[in-house]
Amino acid sequence: MKKALFAYAGTLLAFLVLDGLWLGVLMAPTYRALLGSLMLDQPLLAPAALFYLLYVVGCVVFVVLPAITWRRAACLGALLGLVAYGTYDLSNWATLRGWSAQLVVIDMFWGAFATSVASSVGYWLARKAGA
């Protein structure tokens, strides 16, 4: 149980820091330019919090705990991120006006990268807790 809690906490913290920097600092102008009127002035905190809490459960259950090396955690994290963000972005591209191929590529790359890094951090902390 201690190992799983450390895995969850580490993965969540890493993902929140990465995504906060990405969405709040690095890419905010790009997303505003690409999405325009589709974006809210302020994000809704409850759905955002639920996304992070739920997504990290998936990272821990499907990637962090089953991984036997940090490289495997990184690779499986990248795959999970690619699939999850791809599902979201490709569905939006197929059904929403104004969702561009450029946004799909940017977001899928980000999902793969951020999930890989966060899962690696979670793996490392879980192994430290279990040692």
Side-chain angles (χ1 to χ4, degrees), residues 40-67:
L40 297 173
D41 291 332
Q42 292 292 319
L44 301 176
L45 294 182
L50 287 173
F51 161 74
Y52 287 111
L53 295 172
L54 182 62
Y55 189 68
V56 171
V57 167
C59 292
V60 170
V61 169
F62 298 122
V63 175
V64 176
L65 294 178

Side-chain angles (χ1 to χ4, degrees), residues 17-95:
V17 168
L18 287 168
D19 224 30
L21 288 171
W22 178 258
L23 294 172
V25 178
L26 298 172
M27 292 301 290
T30 302
Y31 282 119
R32 286 227 178 272
L34 290 173
L35 293 173
S37 65
L38 290 175
M39 283 189 71
L40 297 173
D41 291 332
Q42 292 292 319
L44 301 176
L45 294 182
L50 287 173
F51 161 74
Y52 287 111
L53 295 172
L54 182 62
Y55 189 68
V56 171
V57 167
C59 292
V60 170
V61 169
F62 298 122
V63 175
V64 176
L65 294 178
I68 44 180
T69 67
W70 75 265
R71 284 184 180 96
R72 183 131 172 102
C75 289
L76 289 175
L79 180 60
L80 177 62
L82 184 70
V83 169
Y85 278 65
T87 301
Y88 171 78
D89 282 297
L90 293 168
S91 295
N92 285 343
W93 190 24
T95 60

Side-chain angles (χ1 to χ4, degrees), residues 82 89-90 93 100-111:
L82 184 70
D89 282 297
L90 293 168
W93 190 24
S100 69
Q102 180 185 6
L103 184 56
V104 171
V105 171
I106 290 169
D107 236 26
M108 287 177 68
F109 169 80
W110 175 248

